[in-house]
């Protein structure tokens, strides 16, 4: 191995050691700047003599390297042509020869390449894959099929388009027939190797990949090759749904094996075929319904079958969506059999569920929570039951109600021994009472009209919530979850008595009970009525908020370890508890001010602990949102206290390069500064100016929006310090760097506006033309509508900012130095045509001010651009037809769906400290009368010159409209 390969391998090994990983990652970042680094990584991955952990680390780093470096924002390769060609040539062969864990990472890397290059810039790939397929070598075939799946699975979520179908046809023409041939060969090899366990498992891995590819190839449209062989394909799928071989079974109850994986994927394919290709596949559906019935009524309760059972139930759910097939269930007797033999066995709590409840409570919650995407038996059985109910609401409700009554009677016969029957009854009732999906914000929105959820709660559930003792913890959870699911169906008056009961359960000593209570409390505090008013508001929460939050902190801080010494250095990051803390603080708003010191003490302690090794991004997000709530509501009255307390933990995060937290810290620094009423720049911020003017912090995309916010907040308070410290050029350098990136254009313009507003013209005189040249060059080379619209916003900002020494004449002077006649091109081609496209009220307000000041003040438009004066007036009158309404100064903190956020990848804004769009002219509330008054004043000051222009340059219609405005 060469010296470079040895060096890279050594750094990869060190990256696996928590004591050395940060230094090793920085060293690898240096190595990746060298030409051919990616190929060196592949050689390490390919080396059979290398330590397997280093090979895997190399594959993972290679995948992440390609994410950052394969293409730029415009789709151009960032690596040299030789390097990209070498990667494409080597990666397929390498996947074939590496172990499965490395294949998975390289498969993701292939997908990254394919996103940009396949198929136009990698049109030999499919032929290469086909040429490597064999009739008798499962290992080689698995590598080839893994590559194919890595590429073709990208089609699954895409919308139909000509470009997409051209790509799919390119693949099917080359891959369709060979794929079916390999499927036939695989079937033959499985038969031949029934007595050879090792070979049989390998061929079953091939079959598993082929089932995934079946779905990939058919996800958009039924391939002609499949349509021509539907009967044979159906026969093969049925064969392997029934297939059994003892050597393919695992020895444990938890670990799924090849049989389960293949059958699960077959059911996924069948569900697709029923939903999309019923006309071609319909005659075979009955056979597969019978196969799924047989499987579901004979399979065991072991957790290793959970995914298979879920997929089988999902297939049956798909069948219920086809009216002609659902008729097979349309009788009381048949439906009773379905409920008794398929739904109930998969709804009932198993011993393994209770073991999870007790041993891994947070995992139990995440799987059980409505709206999670876990493939649990309960979730799938519920979906199947609801699918039947859509088609046969009366019959399903009647049949299921009989079983609910049976289980409740069984429970009442012996409440201590038969508590699982109560759990089944409540779950079954919830399944038939709800219609449609459970929404994250409001729970169940539509009910089955044949049942009464409030009455059922009062008769069968409420006592489990009220009783102080003698109730099984799982029934407590059921009662809390019932309120959580049906929260939108409960009135404000009913919540007045129910909400305190939920809060009481935060004092439970059972992890699942108090965590579910926190989940329910948080969601109910976020619930609003039809008028947007909180169902449980500030008045109800504030009296108990201090005790409530303190108790939540105790729960968070106690969970790390039973050892007190360990608990001080480690906590279990329960995101549901922290989310509840956040929500309480948002609800009580400025009532948290008396408790600021207590809150900050807990937050600082938790930040210090989790910043050592952040392990739960959602917990950390809610943690910083909660800190943001304190900053939002307490900082204006206690700025110094918050700055003194938070500076050191925040500075420690920056110093230790805790990358997951840095974007949060920059946002909070900015919010603290914005909230400080002194109007000056505290010393803390002066100390960090040199650091944020360096290039390094701006290299991370996730930092950029937060850094721009922080830097602009500093400029608004201490522009003179930047000028006196000769820091204008570093700030402009940041603008230039951001503007070169399409991703950061918006932030670049935001920064530029603040530069132009805050730095005096005398200090900026030498920079105006170069700045505008950069913008003009990009406008000339880009067809981006976003860029054009953002430029129009910038023009209006400059034109309106006469008090900052700018204005329309300033803009004319600058651009005419770049090219004579450029102003006319820009104004007619972009400004006038782009202004009607401005959507934000503040942007339209700025445009109104801009046009008005142009009409009233601009010498260039009064003389040189006489026609432009009239066109400007016409655009202004159009804007005044629907004048922009000033935005509400108090920004509403809307729900942020954190589950869709890309933690650690991009920028996650903190909602509690979201910065409202800046209004540079807050004194102008109603623009229409302001326009009239401004123009009348300008006309008077200029001895009637404006009135003269009105008569000379406007059409009769515009003349009358403007005079009406001026007289209003």
């Amino acid at each position: 191995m060469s010296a470079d390969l040895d060096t890279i391998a050594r750094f990869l090994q060190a990256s696996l050691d928590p004591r050395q990983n940060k230094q090793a990652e920085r060293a690898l970042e240096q190595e990746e700047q060298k030409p051919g680094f990616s190929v060196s990584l592949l050689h390490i991955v390919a080396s059979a003599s290398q330590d397997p952990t280093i090979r895997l680390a190399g594959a993972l780093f290679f995948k992440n390297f390609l994410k950052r470096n394969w293409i730029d924002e415009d789709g151009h390769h960032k690596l040299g042509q030789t390097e990209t060609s070498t990667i494409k040539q080597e990666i397929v062969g390498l996947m074939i020869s590496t172990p499965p864990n490395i294949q998975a990472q390289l498969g993701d890397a292939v997908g990254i390449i394919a996103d940009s290059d396949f198929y136009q810039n990698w049109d030999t790939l499919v032929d290469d894959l086909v040429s490597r397929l064999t009739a008798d070598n499962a290992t080689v075939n698995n590598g080839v099929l893994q590559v194919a799946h890595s590429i073709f699975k990208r089609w699954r979520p895409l919308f139909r388009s000509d470009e997409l179908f051209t790509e799919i046809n390119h693949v099917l023409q080359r891959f369709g027939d060979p794929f079916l041939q390999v499927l036939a060969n695989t079937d033959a090899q499985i038969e031949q190797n029934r007595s050879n366990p090792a070979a049989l498992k390998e061929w079953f891995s091939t079959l598993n990949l082929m089932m995934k590819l079946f779905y990939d190839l058919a996800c958009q449209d039924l391939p002609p090759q499949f349509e021509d062989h539907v009967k044979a394909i159906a026969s093969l799928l049925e064969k392997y749904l029934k297939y059994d071989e003892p050597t393919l079974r695992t020895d444990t109850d938890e670990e799924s094996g090849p049989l389960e994986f293949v059958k699960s994927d077959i059911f996924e394919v069948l569900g697709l075929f029923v939903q999309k290709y019923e006309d071609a596949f319909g005659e075979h559906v009955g056979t597969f319904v019978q196969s799924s019935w047989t499987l579901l009524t004979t399979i065991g309760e072991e957790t290793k079958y959970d995914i298979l059972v879920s997929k089988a139930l999902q297939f049956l759910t798909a069948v219920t969506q086809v009216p002609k097939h659902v008729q097979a269930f349309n009788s009381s007797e048949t439906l009773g059999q379905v409920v008794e033999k398929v739904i109930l066995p998969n709804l009932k709590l198993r011993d393994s569920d209770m073991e999870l409840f007790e041993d891994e409570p947070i995992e139990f919650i995440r799987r059980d929570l409505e709206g999670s995407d876990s493939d649990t038996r309960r979730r799938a059985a519920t979906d199947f039951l609801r699918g039947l109910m859509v088609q046969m609401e009366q019959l399903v409700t009647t049949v299921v109600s009989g079983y609910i009554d049976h289980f409740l009677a069984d429970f009442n016969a012996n409440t201590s021994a038969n508590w699982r029957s109560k759990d089944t009854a409540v779950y079954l009732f919830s399944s038939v009472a709800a219609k449609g999906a459970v929404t994250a914000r409001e729970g169940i929105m539509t009910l089955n009209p044949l049942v009464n959820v409030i009455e059922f709660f009062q008769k069968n559930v409420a006592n489990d919530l009220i009783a102080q003792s003698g109730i099984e913890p799982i029934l407590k959870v059921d009662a809390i979850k019932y309120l959580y699911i049906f929260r939108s169906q409960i009135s404000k008056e009913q919540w007045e008595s129910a909400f305190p009961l939920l809060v009481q359960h935060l004092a439970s000593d059972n992890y699942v009970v108090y965590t579910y209570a926190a989940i329910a409390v948080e969601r109910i505090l976020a619930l609003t009525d039809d008028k947007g008013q909180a169902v449980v508001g500030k008045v109800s929460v504030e009296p108990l908020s201090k005790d409530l939050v303190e108790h939540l902190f105790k729960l968070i801080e106690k969970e790390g370890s039973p050892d007190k010494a360990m608990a001080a250095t480690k906590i279990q990051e329960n995101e549901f508890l922290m989310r509840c803390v956040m929500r309480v603080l948002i609800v009580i708003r400025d009532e948290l001010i008396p408790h600021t010191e207590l809150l900050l003490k807990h937050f600082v302690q938790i930040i210090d602990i989790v910043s050592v090794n952040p392990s739960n991004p959602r917990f950390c997000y809610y943690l910083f949102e909660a800190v943001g709530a304190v900053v939002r509501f307490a900082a204006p009255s206690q700025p110094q206290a918050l700055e003194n307390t938070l500076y050191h933990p925040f500075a420690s995060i920056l110093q230790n390069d805790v990358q997951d937290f840095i974007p949060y810290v920059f946002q909070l620094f900015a919010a603290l500064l914005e909230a400080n009423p002194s109007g000056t720049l505290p010393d803390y911020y002066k100390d960090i100016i040199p650091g944020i003017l360096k290039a390094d912090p701006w290299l991370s995309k996730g930092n950029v929006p937060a850094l721009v916010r922080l830097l602009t907040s500093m400029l608004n308070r201490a522009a003179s310090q930047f000028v006196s410290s000769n820091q204008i050029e570093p700030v402009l350098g940041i603008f230039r760097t951001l503007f070169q990136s399409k991703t950061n254009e918006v932030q670049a313009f935001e920064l530029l506006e603040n530069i132009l507003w805050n730095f005096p013209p005398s200090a900026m005189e030498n920079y105006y033309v170069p700045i505008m040249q950069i913008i003009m060059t990009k406008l000339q080379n880009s067809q981006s509508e976003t860029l054009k619209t953002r430029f129009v916003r910038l023009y209006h900002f400059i034109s309106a900012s006469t008090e900052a020494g700018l204005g329309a004449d300033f803009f004319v002077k600058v651009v005419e130095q770049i090219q004579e006649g450029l102003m006319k091109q820009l104004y007619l081609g972009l400004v006038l045509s782009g202004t009607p496209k401005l959507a934000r009220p503040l942007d339209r307000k700025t445009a109104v001010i801009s046009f008005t000041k142009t009409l009233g003040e601009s010498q260039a438009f009064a003389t040189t651009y006489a026609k432009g004066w009239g066109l400007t007036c016409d655009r202004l009158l159009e804007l005044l037809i629907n004048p922009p309404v000033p935005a509400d100064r108090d920004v509403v903190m809307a729900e942020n769906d954190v589950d869709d956020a890309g933690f650690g990848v991009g920028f996650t804004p903190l909602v509690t400290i979201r910065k409202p769009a800046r209004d540079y002219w807050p004194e102008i509330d109603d623009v229409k009368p302001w326009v009239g008054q401004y123009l009348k004043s300008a006309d008077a000051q200029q001895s009637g010159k404006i009135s003269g222009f009105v008569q000379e340059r406007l059409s009769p219609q515009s003349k009358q409209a403007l005079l009406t405005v001026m007289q209003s």
Side-chain angles (χ1 to χ4, degrees):
M1 188 180 291
S2 72
D4 281 344
L5 294 188
D6 282 333
T7 301
I8 295 170
R10 190 169 66 253
F11 290 147
L12 287 170
Q13 187 172 33
S15 72
L16 302 173
D17 183 348
R19 297 166 299 178
Q20 307 178 61
N21 63 341
K22 287 190 176 179
Q23 299 94 315
E25 286 169 4
R26 282 194 285 268
L28 286 168
E29 288 171 3
Q30 293 297 317
E31 288 293 322
E32 73 178 39
Q33 306 302 319
K34 299 177 182 178
F37 171 76
S38 59
V39 177
S40 297
L41 277 178
L42 283 182
H43 291 167
I44 291 171
V45 174
S47 175
S49 63
Q50 189 59 259
D51 185 291
T53 59
I54 294 176
R55 294 177 70 189
L56 180 58
L60 181 60
F61 199 93
F62 175 77
K63 175 187 74 174
N64 292 328
F65 173 82
L66 289 194
K67 279 183 183 177
R68 300 189 303 270
N69 296 292
W70 187 252
I71 57 169
D72 61 20
E73 293 172 325
D74 297 316
H76 303 130
H77 287 144
K78 295 172 70 173
L79 305 176
Q81 184 175 352
T82 302
E83 194 167 351
T84 57
S85 298
T86 303
I87 290 171
K88 289 179 183 179
Q89 290 165 9
E90 293 190 7
I91 195 166
V92 175
L94 184 55
M95 276 197 68
I96 292 169
S97 61
T98 52
N101 60 344
I102 292 176
Q103 278 186 352
Q105 299 301 327
L106 293 179
D108 289 342
V110 169
I112 292 166
I113 298 171
D115 278 338
S116 63
D117 286 33
F118 188 76
Y119 70 100
Q120 286 93 337
N121 296 323
W122 204 2
D123 58 359
T124 60
L125 175 60
V126 180
D127 292 329
D128 184 17
L129 293 175
V130 170
S131 71
R132 295 173 186 265
L133 291 169
T134 72
D136 54 6
N137 190 326
T139 302
V140 170
N141 287 351
N142 289 348
V144 172
L145 297 174
Q146 185 68 55
V147 175
H149 176 52
S150 299
I151 298 166
F152 306 156
K153 70 181 179 182
R154 300 175 306 118
W155 301 335
R156 294 189 181 196
L158 300 181
F159 292 108
R160 297 168 70 95
S161 68
D162 291 343
E163 184 180 3
L164 173 61
F165 277 85
T166 300
E167 180 178 318
I168 293 174
N169 288 334
H170 168 87
V171 170
L172 291 174
Q173 288 167 9
R174 294 159 177 79
F175 193 76
D177 291 329
F179 172 79
L180 291 178
Q181 184 58 56
V182 172
L183 183 61
N185 293 342
T186 301
D187 179 42
Q189 290 290 342
I190 287 172
E191 290 300 321
Q192 292 173 24
N193 287 281
R194 290 196 78 137
S195 58
N196 184 343
L200 185 62
K201 287 180 181 178
E202 192 78 8
W203 282 108
F204 247 76
S205 294
T206 306
L207 185 62
N208 187 27
L209 280 166
M210 300 208 75
M211 292 303 104
K212 295 181 187 302
L213 279 161
F214 243 118
Y215 196 107
D216 298 338
L217 295 170
C219 65
Q220 292 289 339
D221 203 355
L222 188 63
Q225 296 90 336
F226 291 7
E227 194 166 8
D228 293 342
H229 299 88
V230 164
K231 189 172 182 180
I233 290 170
S235 177
L236 190 76
L237 297 180
E238 183 186 3
K239 171 183 175 179
Y240 284 103
L241 275 183
K242 297 177 178 178
Y243 190 92
D244 191 24
E245 176 57 51
T247 57
L248 293 173
R249 300 176 192 159
T250 58
D251 297 330
T252 69
D253 290 346
E254 294 80 23
E255 184 183 359
S256 301
L259 278 172
E260 290 76 51
F261 291 133
V262 167
K263 292 180 181 183
S264 297
D265 285 336
I266 289 174
F267 276 121
E268 202 161 1
V269 170
L270 292 174
L272 175 71
F273 279 25
V274 168
Q275 289 173 319
K276 297 194 70 168
Y277 313 120
E278 203 278 331
D279 54 340
F281 194 71
E283 64 181 281
H284 305 286
V285 170
T287 301
F288 288 109
V289 168
Q290 185 59 48
S291 297
S292 60
W293 174 268
T294 302
L295 183 146
L296 288 167
T297 54
T298 57
I299 201 165
E301 289 189 351
E302 294 86 348
T303 56
K304 66 181 178 181
Y305 300 126
D306 284 2
I307 293 178
L308 174 54
V309 170
S310 296
K311 296 298 182 185
L313 287 167
Q314 288 168 19
F315 161 68
L316 289 177
T317 304
V319 171
T320 65
Q321 296 171 16
V322 183
K324 74 175 184 180
H325 295 310
V326 81
Q327 292 308 311
F329 303 101
N330 195 9
S331 71
S332 297
E333 183 180 352
T334 302
L335 197 56
Q337 291 289 305
V338 168
V339 172
E340 191 162 323
K341 295 187 176 180
V342 173
I343 291 173
L344 287 176
N346 294 299
L347 275 180
K348 289 180 179 178
L349 278 174
R350 300 167 295 173
D351 290 342
S352 59
D353 296 322
M354 291 310 301
E355 289 172 10
L356 191 69
F357 182 93
E358 293 164 3
D359 300 337
E360 297 183 64
I362 194 70
E363 184 60 26
F364 177 90
I365 293 164
R366 288 171 181 154
R367 291 186 188 183
D368 183 62
L369 201 58
E370 282 284 352
S372 79
D373 56 1
S374 300
D375 284 325
T376 64
R377 294 192 187 213
R378 277 192 153 190
R379 180 75 27 74
T382 297
D383 290 343
F384 178 38
L385 185 58
R386 288 176 179 166
L388 289 167
M389 201 170 69
V390 169
Q391 305 292 342
M392 304 172 291
E393 185 173 77
Q394 178 71 60
L395 181 60
V396 171
T397 304
T398 301
V399 170
V400 170
S401 294
Y403 285 98
I404 293 170
D405 292 341
H406 163 76
F407 284 112
L408 288 174
D410 186 57
F411 166 73
N412 290 322
N414 190 336
T415 56
S416 59
N418 298 342
W419 58 268
R420 291 196 189 195
S421 293
K422 174 74 170 289
D423 171 79
T424 302
V426 173
Y427 206 100
L428 200 55
F429 179 85
S430 299
S431 297
V432 296
K435 293 176 71 174
V438 180
T439 66
R441 185 161 181 79
E442 297 180 299
I444 295 295
M445 298 296 295
T446 308
L447 295 178
N448 179 348
L450 304 176
V451 299
N452 187 321
V453 296
I454 301 299
E455 182 183 13
F456 185 86
F457 174 78
Q458 291 170 339
K459 286 184 176 180
N460 303 297
V461 181
N463 185 63
D464 295 338
L465 203 64
I466 296 168
Q468 298 295 314
S469 60
I471 305 296
E472 282 290 326
I474 197 74
L475 297 184
K476 288 281 187 186
V477 171
D478 287 343
I480 295 168
K481 188 178 176 184
Y482 191 96
L483 290 178
Y484 162 77
I485 292 172
F486 295 111
R487 58 189 179 274
S488 290
Q489 310 303 322
I490 300 172
S491 68
K492 269 190 175 186
E493 293 72 23
Q494 290 166 332
W495 271 122
E496 286 179 6
S497 56
F499 184 74
L501 294 175
L502 284 179
V503 173
Q504 287 176 17
H505 284 79
L506 290 169
S508 169
D509 58 2
N510 183 278
Y511 186 104
V512 180
V513 172
Y514 70 65
T515 300
Y516 243 119
I519 292 167
V521 166
E522 189 277 327
R523 287 291 76 201
I524 288 146
L525 290 179
L527 191 65
T528 57
D529 59 21
D530 294 340
K531 297 177 181 177
Q533 299 298 310
V535 171
V536 178
K538 180 178 177 180
V539 174
S540 302
V541 178
E542 193 277 327
L544 46 91
S545 61
K546 181 176 182 291
D547 293 339
L548 174 56
V549 171
E550 267 205 277
H551 185 69
L552 287 166
F553 278 130
K554 286 179 183 177
L555 294 175
I556 292 168
E557 292 164 3
K558 81 171 186 177
E559 292 168 357
S561 169
D563 183 342
K564 291 184 179 179
M566 286 292 293
T569 59
K570 179 64 181 169
I571 60 171
Q572 187 179 63
E573 299 172 17
N574 183 328
E575 69 264 31
F576 305 109
L577 297 179
M578 187 55 74
R579 186 173 184 173
C580 191
V581 171
M582 174 202 75
R583 186 63 60 189
V584 171
L585 298 181
I586 288 173
V587 169
I588 65 172
R589 298 175 71 86
D590 51 3
E591 297 297 336
L592 64 77
I593 292 174
H595 317 304
T596 301
E597 184 178 353
L598 173 69
L599 293 168
L600 291 178
K601 177 184 175 183
H602 286 292
F603 284 135
V604 169
Q605 179 180 342
I606 294 168
I607 289 170
D608 286 343
I609 294 171
V610 298
S611 62
V612 175
N613 184 26
S615 59
N616 185 340
R618 288 182 174 82
F619 176 87
C620 298
Y621 166 74
Y622 293 126
L623 167 62
F624 284 105
E625 281 284 18
V627 175
V630 176
V631 169
R632 177 183 174 89
F633 298 117
S637 61
Q638 306 176 43
Q640 193 168 358
L642 268 74
E643 289 169 0
N644 291 342
T645 306
L646 292 174
Y647 178 80
H648 295 290
F650 287 178
S652 176
I653 286 168
L654 298 179
Q655 185 177 355
N656 295 320
D657 194 27
V658 186
Q659 294 187 10
D660 292 351
F661 290 179
I662 288 175
Y664 296 139
V665 166
F666 284 141
Q667 289 179 76
L668 287 163
F669 265 139
L672 278 168
L673 181 57
E674 292 157 3
N676 189 321
S678 69
T680 61
L681 190 67
D683 289 340
Y684 290 133
Y685 294 91
K686 294 176 183 177
D687 293 341
I688 63 175
I689 288 176
I692 66 172
L693 292 182
K694 292 179 180 178
D696 288 350
W698 299 86
L699 296 177
S700 171
K701 292 179 181 178
N703 289 349
V704 169
L707 275 171
V708 168
R709 178 177 180 181
L710 178 57
L711 181 54
T712 55
S713 299
M714 290 177 169
L715 290 176
N716 290 329
R717 290 176 178 249
S720 59
Q721 179 175 326
F722 283 83
V723 174
S724 62
S725 302
N726 296 318
Q727 291 171 324
I728 290 180
E729 289 193 4
V731 173
L732 290 173
I734 291 169
F735 158 73
R736 189 181 303 110
T737 301
L738 296 180
F739 193 66
Q740 290 169 354
S741 163
K742 187 183 297 184
T743 303
N744 296 325
E745 278 176 359
V746 171
Q747 283 76 35
F749 276 113
E750 181 183 348
L751 178 57
L752 180 58
E753 285 182 2
N754 279 272
I755 289 170
L756 295 174
W757 182 267
N758 289 296
F759 287 150
S762 58
M764 288 289 295
E765 190 171 351
N766 296 329
Y767 303 114
Y768 290 133
V769 172
I771 289 170
M772 205 55 66
Q773 283 176 322
I774 293 170
I775 296 173
M776 293 302 108
T777 300
K778 192 161 188 177
L779 276 171
Q780 189 175 16
N781 297 328
S782 172
Q783 297 301 312
S784 165
E785 288 300 319
T786 302
L787 177 62
K788 292 176 183 177
T789 300
R790 198 59 187 82
F791 169 76
V792 173
R793 286 174 55 186
L794 176 68
Y795 169 80
H796 285 305
F797 169 78
I798 293 172
S799 173
S801 301
T802 52
E803 54 269 76
L806 307 177
D809 288 348
F810 163 86
F811 189 88
V812 171
K813 179 183 175 182
V814 171
V815 298
E816 288 297 308
Q817 290 181 61
I818 298 173
Q819 179 185 318
E820 188 176 349
L822 181 57
M823 177 62 189
K824 186 175 180 180
Q825 296 177 40
L826 292 171
Y827 200 72
L828 296 176
L830 288 177
V831 175
L832 290 178
S833 62
T835 298
K837 300 175 184 176
L838 297 175
R840 297 195 317 169
L842 271 180
D843 295 337
R844 295 173 69 83
K845 174 182 175 180
T846 303
V848 168
I849 297 170
S850 160
F851 282 151
T852 304
K853 290 185 176 182
T854 297
L855 296 177
E857 295 185 19
S858 170
Q859 292 302 309
F861 278 79
T863 56
T864 309
Y865 307 115
K867 185 177 179 181
W869 195 97
L871 294 172
T872 299
C873 188
D874 289 339
R875 277 286 181 264
L876 173 61
L877 292 169
E878 289 172 9
L879 288 171
L880 292 178
I881 292 172
N882 292 302
V885 178
D888 185 353
R889 302 271 196 268
D890 188 16
V891 178
V892 176
M893 285 174 286
E895 173 66 12
N896 189 35
D897 189 357
V898 70
D899 294 327
D900 292 336
F903 297 104
V905 178
F907 172 69
T908 305
L910 296 174
V911 177
T912 49
I913 52 169
R914 179 182 291 151
K915 184 181 180 181
R918 181 176 179 182
D919 185 353
Y920 286 87
W921 297 273
E923 70 280 4
I924 302 174
D925 280 328
D926 191 343
V927 294
K928 198 166 186 177
W930 176 85
V931 170
Q933 293 164 12
Y934 188 93
L935 291 178
K936 276 195 294 186
S937 175
D939 189 45
Q941 291 173 13
Q942 299 176 46
S943 305
K945 184 188 291 185
I946 307 298
S947 298
F949 290 160
V950 170
Q951 298 300 325
E952 298 166 8
R953 298 177 179 181
L954 299 183
S955 67
Q957 184 178 1
S958 297
K959 190 185 305 180
Q960 182 59 46
L962 186 60
L963 288 173
T964 301
V965 171
M966 292 176 68
Q967 292 165 7
S968 62

